[in-house]
Amino acid sequence: MSVESPIISDDLREYVDSVGYAESNILKENRKETKKLGAISIMQIGAAQGALLSILCKISKFKNCLEVGVFTGYSSLCIGSSISDDSKLTCIDNNKEYLNVAKKYWKKAKIEHKVNLIEDNAIDALSMLSKKDLNNFDFAFIDADKSNYCLYYEKIIPLMQKGGVVCIDNTLWKGRVYDNSINNSSTQSIRDINQLINSDKRVEHTLLTIYDGMTICYVK
């Protein structure tokens, strides 16, 4: 997270990093390799967020999970390692370079048999899933290009079981969402998804201030 972020101070971040979660060796290894990519590594979710995803999956015993936006695989490692051996995680991404990193860690973690990878544009992939009329996902995680967040959300909600959970990352966008002087397209996209969820009668939701913000939606 950028040190300029008003969401969490450096002191608080350092404290959370010291006692706020336990990060496995394979997750540490994945984070270290991702950091070598340079500035783009900021796309990786925070370790505290990964721990939250893991706990949600363990508590809820999700059987059919969906992830839009894989990057180098940190979040899919958290989800895939926390669901049962007969559960499935459908991952959607089309960046081969980053997916090669993710695949390597799926294999290391011995979860590749749980992963159904769709290497395609997320909109096209979700449209394909919609055409199959499969509304049986019980968990979904959205962490892809911000410009399409609303579209991803609208395509995913009909695919969810009642009682399912949808998590959306970056919903505080380093505080830019409540800074009226910032009006770039990515910030407006996050404002739009937050407003959409807030008015959506199909879900109950809460916006957490963890890392860069994460919204959790319960599908009614």
Side-chain angles (χ1 to χ4, degrees), residues 48-81:
Q49 290 177 302
L52 175 61
L53 293 177
S54 294
I55 291 171
L56 282 174
C57 290
K58 289 174 180 176
I59 291 173
S60 302
K61 296 180 171 61
F62 297 126
K63 302 296 291 183
N64 195 15
C65 304
L66 174 66
E67 179 180 68
V68 179
V70 176
F71 193 37
T72 56
Y74 193 99
S75 52
S76 56
L77 282 170
C78 294
I79 298 167
S81 298

PDB file of all heavy atoms in Angstrom, residues 48-81:
ATOM      1  N   ALA A  48      -3.296  -9.543   4.921  1.00  0.00           N
ATOM      2  CA  ALA A  48      -4.436  -9.580   5.844  1.00  0.00           C
ATOM      3  C   ALA A  48      -5.724  -9.910   5.101  1.00  0.00           C
ATOM      4  O   ALA A  48      -6.600 -10.615   5.619  1.00  0.00           O
ATOM      5  CB  ALA A  48      -4.563  -8.241   6.572  1.00  0.00           C
ATOM      6  N   GLN A  49      -5.849  -9.400   3.873  1.00  0.00           N
ATOM      7  CA  GLN A  49      -7.012  -9.736   3.051  1.00  0.00           C
ATOM      8  C   GLN A  49      -7.013 -11.215   2.699  1.00  0.00           C
ATOM      9  O   GLN A  49      -8.058 -11.873   2.707  1.00  0.00           O
ATOM     10  CB  GLN A  49      -7.002  -8.907   1.766  1.00  0.00           C
ATOM     11  CG  GLN A  49      -7.282  -7.436   1.965  1.00  0.00           C
ATOM     12  CD  GLN A  49      -7.178  -6.672   0.662  1.00  0.00           C
ATOM     13  OE1 GLN A  49      -6.139  -6.680   0.005  1.00  0.00           O
ATOM     14  NE2 GLN A  49      -8.249  -6.012   0.276  1.00  0.00           N
ATOM     15  N   GLY A  50      -5.836 -11.729   2.370  1.00  0.00           N
ATOM     16  CA  GLY A  50      -5.736 -13.156   2.062  1.00  0.00           C
ATOM     17  C   GLY A  50      -6.160 -14.007   3.233  1.00  0.00           C
ATOM     18  O   GLY A  50      -6.864 -15.015   3.069  1.00  0.00           O
ATOM     19  N   ALA A  51      -5.749 -13.597   4.433  1.00  0.00           N
ATOM     20  CA  ALA A  51      -6.138 -14.333   5.638  1.00  0.00           C
ATOM     21  C   ALA A  51      -7.649 -14.292   5.836  1.00  0.00           C
ATOM     22  O   ALA A  51      -8.272 -15.287   6.232  1.00  0.00           O
ATOM     23  CB  ALA A  51      -5.418 -13.761   6.853  1.00  0.00           C
ATOM     24  N   LEU A  52      -8.253 -13.133   5.540  1.00  0.00           N
ATOM     25  CA  LEU A  52      -9.707 -13.000   5.655  1.00  0.00           C
ATOM     26  C   LEU A  52     -10.409 -13.930   4.667  1.00  0.00           C
ATOM     27  O   LEU A  52     -11.373 -14.630   5.031  1.00  0.00           O
ATOM     28  CB  LEU A  52     -10.130 -11.560   5.406  1.00  0.00           C
ATOM     29  CG  LEU A  52     -11.641 -11.293   5.368  1.00  0.00           C
ATOM     30  CD1 LEU A  52     -12.296 -11.657   6.689  1.00  0.00           C
ATOM     31  CD2 LEU A  52     -11.918  -9.833   5.017  1.00  0.00           C
ATOM     32  N   LEU A  53      -9.949 -13.965   3.428  1.00  0.00           N
ATOM     33  CA  LEU A  53     -10.541 -14.859   2.434  1.00  0.00           C
ATOM     34  C   LEU A  53     -10.439 -16.314   2.880  1.00  0.00           C
ATOM     35  O   LEU A  53     -11.390 -17.097   2.736  1.00  0.00           O
ATOM     36  CB  LEU A  53      -9.857 -14.680   1.081  1.00  0.00           C
ATOM     37  CG  LEU A  53     -10.055 -13.342   0.367  1.00  0.00           C
ATOM     38  CD1 LEU A  53      -9.245 -13.308  -0.930  1.00  0.00           C
ATOM     39  CD2 LEU A  53     -11.535 -13.083   0.073  1.00  0.00           C
ATOM     40  N   SER A  54      -9.283 -16.681   3.411  1.00  0.00           N
ATOM     41  CA  SER A  54      -9.083 -18.056   3.871  1.00  0.00           C
ATOM     42  C   SER A  54     -10.065 -18.427   4.975  1.00  0.00           C
ATOM     43  O   SER A  54     -10.684 -19.497   4.951  1.00  0.00           O
ATOM     44  CB  SER A  54      -7.650 -18.243   4.381  1.00  0.00           C
ATOM     45  OG  SER A  54      -6.711 -18.107   3.347  1.00  0.00           O
ATOM     46  N   ILE A  55     -10.222 -17.525   5.932  1.00  0.00           N
ATOM     47  CA  ILE A  55     -11.124 -17.803   7.051  1.00  0.00           C
ATOM     48  C   ILE A  55     -12.571 -17.876   6.584  1.00  0.00           C
ATOM     49  O   ILE A  55     -13.338 -18.758   7.009  1.00  0.00           O
ATOM     50  CB  ILE A  55     -10.944 -16.739   8.161  1.00  0.00           C
ATOM     51  CG1 ILE A  55      -9.578 -16.921   8.818  1.00  0.00           C
ATOM     52  CG2 ILE A  55     -12.061 -16.833   9.196  1.00  0.00           C
ATOM     53  CD1 ILE A  55      -9.192 -15.804   9.769  1.00  0.00           C
ATOM     54  N   LEU A  56     -12.974 -16.966   5.680  1.00  0.00           N
ATOM     55  CA  LEU A  56     -14.332 -17.017   5.135  1.00  0.00           C
ATOM     56  C   LEU A  56     -14.604 -18.362   4.469  1.00  0.00           C
ATOM     57  O   LEU A  56     -15.675 -18.953   4.643  1.00  0.00           O
ATOM     58  CB  LEU A  56     -14.527 -15.893   4.113  1.00  0.00           C
ATOM     59  CG  LEU A  56     -14.770 -14.480   4.642  1.00  0.00           C
ATOM     60  CD1 LEU A  56     -14.800 -13.492   3.482  1.00  0.00           C
ATOM     61  CD2 LEU A  56     -16.075 -14.410   5.431  1.00  0.00           C
ATOM     62  N   CYS A  57     -13.631 -18.827   3.683  1.00  0.00           N
ATOM     63  CA  CYS A  57     -13.803 -20.094   2.970  1.00  0.00           C
ATOM     64  C   CYS A  57     -13.880 -21.274   3.935  1.00  0.00           C
ATOM     65  O   CYS A  57     -14.660 -22.208   3.727  1.00  0.00           O
ATOM     66  CB  CYS A  57     -12.659 -20.306   1.983  1.00  0.00           C
ATOM     67  SG  CYS A  57     -12.690 -19.201   0.565  1.00  0.00           S
ATOM     68  N   LYS A  58     -13.084 -21.244   4.987  1.00  0.00           N
ATOM     69  CA  LYS A  58     -13.092 -22.338   5.960  1.00  0.00           C
ATOM     70  C   LYS A  58     -14.378 -22.355   6.776  1.00  0.00           C
ATOM     71  O   LYS A  58     -14.963 -23.413   7.028  1.00  0.00           O
ATOM     72  CB  LYS A  58     -11.879 -22.224   6.874  1.00  0.00           C
ATOM     73  CG  LYS A  58     -10.574 -22.562   6.176  1.00  0.00           C
ATOM     74  CD  LYS A  58      -9.365 -22.290   7.070  1.00  0.00           C
ATOM     75  CE  LYS A  58      -8.072 -22.633   6.330  1.00  0.00           C
ATOM     76  NZ  LYS A  58      -6.869 -22.300   7.145  1.00  0.00           N
ATOM     77  N   ILE A  59     -14.830 -21.173   7.184  1.00  0.00           N
ATOM     78  CA  ILE A  59     -16.062 -21.093   7.978  1.00  0.00           C
ATOM     79  C   ILE A  59     -17.269 -21.541   7.158  1.00  0.00           C
ATOM     80  O   ILE A  59     -18.116 -22.308   7.634  1.00  0.00           O
ATOM     81  CB  ILE A  59     -16.289 -19.654   8.478  1.00  0.00           C
ATOM     82  CG1 ILE A  59     -15.256 -19.275   9.527  1.00  0.00           C
ATOM     83  CG2 ILE A  59     -17.705 -19.491   9.039  1.00  0.00           C
ATOM     84  CD1 ILE A  59     -15.316 -17.819   9.948  1.00  0.00           C
ATOM     85  N   SER A  60     -17.335 -21.055   5.921  1.00  0.00           N
ATOM     86  CA  SER A  60     -18.536 -21.266   5.099  1.00  0.00           C
ATOM     87  C   SER A  60     -18.515 -22.561   4.309  1.00  0.00           C
ATOM     88  O   SER A  60     -19.536 -22.964   3.757  1.00  0.00           O
ATOM     89  CB  SER A  60     -18.712 -20.088   4.135  1.00  0.00           C
ATOM     90  OG  SER A  60     -18.815 -18.873   4.853  1.00  0.00           O
ATOM     91  N   LYS A  61     -17.341 -23.198   4.238  1.00  0.00           N
ATOM     92  CA  LYS A  61     -17.209 -24.469   3.517  1.00  0.00           C
ATOM     93  C   LYS A  61     -17.741 -24.351   2.084  1.00  0.00           C
ATOM     94  O   LYS A  61     -18.537 -25.171   1.620  1.00  0.00           O
ATOM     95  CB  LYS A  61     -17.923 -25.596   4.265  1.00  0.00           C
ATOM     96  CG  LYS A  61     -17.317 -25.906   5.632  1.00  0.00           C
ATOM     97  CD  LYS A  61     -18.060 -27.040   6.326  1.00  0.00           C
ATOM     98  CE  LYS A  61     -17.330 -27.492   7.580  1.00  0.00           C
ATOM     99  NZ  LYS A  61     -17.182 -26.450   8.592  1.00  0.00           N
ATOM    100  N   PHE A  62     -17.303 -23.318   1.385  1.00  0.00           N
ATOM    101  CA  PHE A  62     -17.734 -23.101   0.005  1.00  0.00           C
ATOM    102  C   PHE A  62     -17.337 -24.292  -0.877  1.00  0.00           C
ATOM    103  O   PHE A  62     -16.256 -24.857  -0.728  1.00  0.00           O
ATOM    104  CB  PHE A  62     -17.101 -21.821  -0.560  1.00  0.00           C
ATOM    105  CG  PHE A  62     -17.519 -20.572   0.148  1.00  0.00           C
ATOM    106  CD1 PHE A  62     -16.554 -19.705   0.670  1.00  0.00           C
ATOM    107  CD2 PHE A  62     -18.850 -20.241   0.295  1.00  0.00           C
ATOM    108  CE1 PHE A  62     -16.931 -18.538   1.322  1.00  0.00           C
ATOM    109  CE2 PHE A  62     -19.233 -19.078   0.946  1.00  0.00           C
ATOM    110  CZ  PHE A  62     -18.271 -18.222   1.459  1.00  0.00           C
ATOM    111  N   LYS A  63     -18.209 -24.625  -1.813  1.00  0.00           N
ATOM    112  CA  LYS A  63     -17.971 -25.756  -2.700  1.00  0.00           C
ATOM    113  C   LYS A  63     -17.660 -25.351  -4.131  1.00  0.00           C
ATOM    114  O   LYS A  63     -17.010 -26.088  -4.865  1.00  0.00           O
ATOM    115  CB  LYS A  63     -19.208 -26.682  -2.712  1.00  0.00           C
ATOM    116  CG  LYS A  63     -19.610 -27.218  -1.367  1.00  0.00           C
ATOM    117  CD  LYS A  63     -18.555 -28.120  -0.761  1.00  0.00           C
ATOM    118  CE  LYS A  63     -18.422 -29.423  -1.511  1.00  0.00           C
ATOM    119  NZ  LYS A  63     -17.441 -30.332  -0.875  1.00  0.00           N
ATOM    120  N   ASN A  64     -18.156 -24.177  -4.550  1.00  0.00           N
ATOM    121  CA  ASN A  64     -18.001 -23.768  -5.951  1.00  0.00           C
ATOM    122  C   ASN A  64     -17.675 -22.280  -5.997  1.00  0.00           C
ATOM    123  O   ASN A  64     -18.557 -21.441  -5.898  1.00  0.00           O
ATOM    124  CB  ASN A  64     -19.277 -24.073  -6.729  1.00  0.00           C
ATOM    125  CG  ASN A  64     -19.071 -24.016  -8.222  1.00  0.00           C
ATOM    126  OD1 ASN A  64     -17.940 -24.017  -8.712  1.00  0.00           O
ATOM    127  ND2 ASN A  64     -20.155 -23.968  -8.971  1.00  0.00           N
ATOM    128  N   CYS A  65     -16.396 -21.982  -6.145  1.00  0.00           N
ATOM    129  CA  CYS A  65     -15.909 -20.604  -6.021  1.00  0.00           C
ATOM    130  C   CYS A  65     -15.519 -20.025  -7.378  1.00  0.00           C
ATOM    131  O   CYS A  65     -15.182 -20.750  -8.308  1.00  0.00           O
ATOM    132  CB  CYS A  65     -14.703 -20.555  -5.088  1.00  0.00           C
ATOM    133  SG  CYS A  65     -15.005 -21.254  -3.441  1.00  0.00           S
ATOM    134  N   LEU A  66     -15.541 -18.709  -7.452  1.00  0.00           N
ATOM    135  CA  LEU A  66     -15.222 -17.990  -8.685  1.00  0.00           C
ATOM    136  C   LEU A  66     -14.278 -16.840  -8.349  1.00  0.00           C
ATOM    137  O   LEU A  66     -14.485 -16.136  -7.370  1.00  0.00           O
ATOM    138  CB  LEU A  66     -16.510 -17.448  -9.305  1.00  0.00           C
ATOM    139  CG  LEU A  66     -16.391 -16.542 -10.543  1.00  0.00           C
ATOM    140  CD1 LEU A  66     -15.839 -17.319 -11.738  1.00  0.00           C
ATOM    141  CD2 LEU A  66     -17.756 -15.946 -10.886  1.00  0.00           C
ATOM    142  N   GLU A  67     -13.247 -16.671  -9.182  1.00  0.00           N
ATOM    143  CA  GLU A  67     -12.344 -15.545  -9.018  1.00  0.00           C
ATOM    144  C   GLU A  67     -12.168 -14.840 -10.352  1.00  0.00           C
ATOM    145  O   GLU A  67     -11.815 -15.472 -11.352  1.00  0.00           O
ATOM    146  CB  GLU A  67     -10.981 -16.007  -8.496  1.00  0.00           C
ATOM    147  CG  GLU A  67      -9.989 -14.858  -8.338  1.00  0.00           C
ATOM    148  CD  GLU A  67      -8.634 -15.319  -7.828  1.00  0.00           C
ATOM    149  OE1 GLU A  67      -7.917 -16.029  -8.558  1.00  0.00           O
ATOM    150  OE2 GLU A  67      -8.295 -14.960  -6.680  1.00  0.00           O
ATOM    151  N   VAL A  68     -12.408 -13.546 -10.363  1.00  0.00           N
ATOM    152  CA  VAL A  68     -12.189 -12.730 -11.561  1.00  0.00           C
ATOM    153  C   VAL A  68     -10.968 -11.851 -11.307  1.00  0.00           C
ATOM    154  O   VAL A  68     -11.024 -10.923 -10.499  1.00  0.00           O
ATOM    155  CB  VAL A  68     -13.423 -11.860 -11.884  1.00  0.00           C
ATOM    156  CG1 VAL A  68     -13.150 -11.002 -13.116  1.00  0.00           C
ATOM    157  CG2 VAL A  68     -14.643 -12.735 -12.113  1.00  0.00           C
ATOM    158  N   GLY A  69      -9.878 -12.159 -11.979  1.00  0.00           N
ATOM    159  CA  GLY A  69      -8.613 -11.465 -11.776  1.00  0.00           C
ATOM    160  C   GLY A  69      -7.689 -12.292 -10.910  1.00  0.00           C
ATOM    161  O   GLY A  69      -7.845 -12.337  -9.688  1.00  0.00           O
ATOM    162  N   VAL A  70      -6.736 -12.971 -11.544  1.00  0.00           N
ATOM    163  CA  VAL A  70      -5.860 -13.899 -10.823  1.00  0.00           C
ATOM    164  C   VAL A  70      -4.523 -13.258 -10.457  1.00  0.00           C
ATOM    165  O   VAL A  70      -3.986 -13.502  -9.385  1.00  0.00           O
ATOM    166  CB  VAL A  70      -5.599 -15.164 -11.668  1.00  0.00           C
ATOM    167  CG1 VAL A  70      -4.610 -16.097 -10.964  1.00  0.00           C
ATOM    168  CG2 VAL A  70      -6.903 -15.899 -11.961  1.00  0.00           C
ATOM    169  N   PHE A  71      -3.979 -12.447 -11.364  1.00  0.00           N
ATOM    170  CA  PHE A  71      -2.634 -11.881 -11.244  1.00  0.00           C
ATOM    171  C   PHE A  71      -1.647 -13.035 -11.019  1.00  0.00           C
ATOM    172  O   PHE A  71      -1.640 -13.982 -11.792  1.00  0.00           O
ATOM    173  CB  PHE A  71      -2.586 -10.828 -10.141  1.00  0.00           C
ATOM    174  CG  PHE A  71      -1.335  -9.981 -10.140  1.00  0.00           C
ATOM    175  CD1 PHE A  71      -0.734  -9.595 -11.325  1.00  0.00           C
ATOM    176  CD2 PHE A  71      -0.752  -9.582  -8.947  1.00  0.00           C
ATOM    177  CE1 PHE A  71       0.427  -8.816 -11.340  1.00  0.00           C
ATOM    178  CE2 PHE A  71       0.401  -8.801  -8.943  1.00  0.00           C
ATOM    179  CZ  PHE A  71       0.994  -8.429 -10.133  1.00  0.00           C
ATOM    180  N   THR A  72      -0.830 -12.997  -9.978  1.00  0.00           N
ATOM    181  CA  THR A  72       0.163 -14.057  -9.781  1.00  0.00           C
ATOM    182  C   THR A  72      -0.313 -15.160  -8.837  1.00  0.00           C
ATOM    183  O   THR A  72       0.460 -16.028  -8.446  1.00  0.00           O
ATOM    184  CB  THR A  72       1.480 -13.476  -9.249  1.00  0.00           C
ATOM    185  OG1 THR A  72       1.220 -12.747  -8.041  1.00  0.00           O
ATOM    186  CG2 THR A  72       2.125 -12.550 -10.282  1.00  0.00           C
ATOM    187  N   GLY A  73      -1.586 -15.108  -8.446  1.00  0.00           N
ATOM    188  CA  GLY A  73      -2.176 -16.251  -7.761  1.00  0.00           C
ATOM    189  C   GLY A  73      -2.289 -16.208  -6.258  1.00  0.00           C
ATOM    190  O   GLY A  73      -2.687 -17.199  -5.642  1.00  0.00           O
ATOM    191  N   TYR A  74      -1.977 -15.079  -5.628  1.00  0.00           N
ATOM    192  CA  TYR A  74      -2.017 -15.043  -4.163  1.00  0.00           C
ATOM    193  C   TYR A  74      -3.416 -15.347  -3.619  1.00  0.00           C
ATOM    194  O   TYR A  74      -3.583 -16.223  -2.758  1.00  0.00           O
ATOM    195  CB  TYR A  74      -1.543 -13.686  -3.657  1.00  0.00           C
ATOM    196  CG  TYR A  74      -1.250 -13.644  -2.167  1.00  0.00           C
ATOM    197  CD1 TYR A  74       0.044 -13.758  -1.692  1.00  0.00           C
ATOM    198  CD2 TYR A  74      -2.273 -13.467  -1.238  1.00  0.00           C
ATOM    199  CE1 TYR A  74       0.328 -13.707  -0.331  1.00  0.00           C
ATOM    200  CE2 TYR A  74      -2.013 -13.422   0.112  1.00  0.00           C
ATOM    201  CZ  TYR A  74      -0.709 -13.541   0.573  1.00  0.00           C
ATOM    202  OH  TYR A  74      -0.451 -13.499   1.926  1.00  0.00           O
ATOM    203  N   SER A  75      -4.415 -14.636  -4.112  1.00  0.00           N
ATOM    204  CA  SER A  75      -5.774 -14.839  -3.589  1.00  0.00           C
ATOM    205  C   SER A  75      -6.296 -16.230  -3.919  1.00  0.00           C
ATOM    206  O   SER A  75      -6.980 -16.853  -3.104  1.00  0.00           O
ATOM    207  CB  SER A  75      -6.725 -13.771  -4.129  1.00  0.00           C
ATOM    208  OG  SER A  75      -6.668 -13.689  -5.536  1.00  0.00           O
ATOM    209  N   SER A  76      -5.966 -16.746  -5.109  1.00  0.00           N
ATOM    210  CA  SER A  76      -6.421 -18.093  -5.453  1.00  0.00           C
ATOM    211  C   SER A  76      -5.736 -19.147  -4.587  1.00  0.00           C
ATOM    212  O   SER A  76      -6.326 -20.191  -4.288  1.00  0.00           O
ATOM    213  CB  SER A  76      -6.188 -18.389  -6.938  1.00  0.00           C
ATOM    214  OG  SER A  76      -4.837 -18.208  -7.294  1.00  0.00           O
ATOM    215  N   LEU A  77      -4.499 -18.891  -4.160  1.00  0.00           N
ATOM    216  CA  LEU A  77      -3.834 -19.788  -3.217  1.00  0.00           C
ATOM    217  C   LEU A  77      -4.580 -19.798  -1.886  1.00  0.00           C
ATOM    218  O   LEU A  77      -4.787 -20.858  -1.286  1.00  0.00           O
ATOM    219  CB  LEU A  77      -2.387 -19.338  -2.988  1.00  0.00           C
ATOM    220  CG  LEU A  77      -1.364 -19.668  -4.068  1.00  0.00           C
ATOM    221  CD1 LEU A  77      -0.049 -18.942  -3.778  1.00  0.00           C
ATOM    222  CD2 LEU A  77      -1.122 -21.169  -4.160  1.00  0.00           C
ATOM    223  N   CYS A  78      -4.990 -18.613  -1.433  1.00  0.00           N
ATOM    224  CA  CYS A  78      -5.724 -18.509  -0.174  1.00  0.00           C
ATOM    225  C   CYS A  78      -7.057 -19.241  -0.253  1.00  0.00           C
ATOM    226  O   CYS A  78      -7.429 -19.994   0.657  1.00  0.00           O
ATOM    227  CB  CYS A  78      -5.949 -17.047   0.180  1.00  0.00           C
ATOM    228  SG  CYS A  78      -4.439 -16.126   0.545  1.00  0.00           S
ATOM    229  N   ILE A  79      -7.776 -19.034  -1.346  1.00  0.00           N
ATOM    230  CA  ILE A  79      -9.085 -19.667  -1.512  1.00  0.00           C
ATOM    231  C   ILE A  79      -8.931 -21.167  -1.742  1.00  0.00           C
ATOM    232  O   ILE A  79      -9.553 -21.989  -1.068  1.00  0.00           O
ATOM    233  CB  ILE A  79      -9.849 -19.025  -2.688  1.00  0.00           C
ATOM    234  CG1 ILE A  79     -10.110 -17.545  -2.411  1.00  0.00           C
ATOM    235  CG2 ILE A  79     -11.168 -19.769  -2.948  1.00  0.00           C
ATOM    236  CD1 ILE A  79     -10.564 -16.756  -3.634  1.00  0.00           C
ATOM    237  N   GLY A  80      -8.086 -21.524  -2.711  1.00  0.00           N
ATOM    238  CA  GLY A  80      -7.934 -22.928  -3.076  1.00  0.00           C
ATOM    239  C   GLY A  80      -7.407 -23.802  -1.962  1.00  0.00           C
ATOM    240  O   GLY A  80      -7.759 -24.989  -1.867  1.00  0.00           O
ATOM    241  N   SER A  81      -6.573 -23.231  -1.093  1.00  0.00           N
ATOM    242  CA  SER A  81      -6.023 -24.002   0.024  1.00  0.00           C
ATOM    243  C   SER A  81      -7.002 -24.117   1.182  1.00  0.00           C
ATOM    244  O   SER A  81      -6.759 -24.899   2.113  1.00  0.00           O
ATOM    245  CB  SER A  81      -4.726 -23.349   0.523  1.00  0.00           C
ATOM    246  OG  SER A  81      -3.738 -23.336  -0.488  1.00  0.00           O
TER     247      SER A  81
END
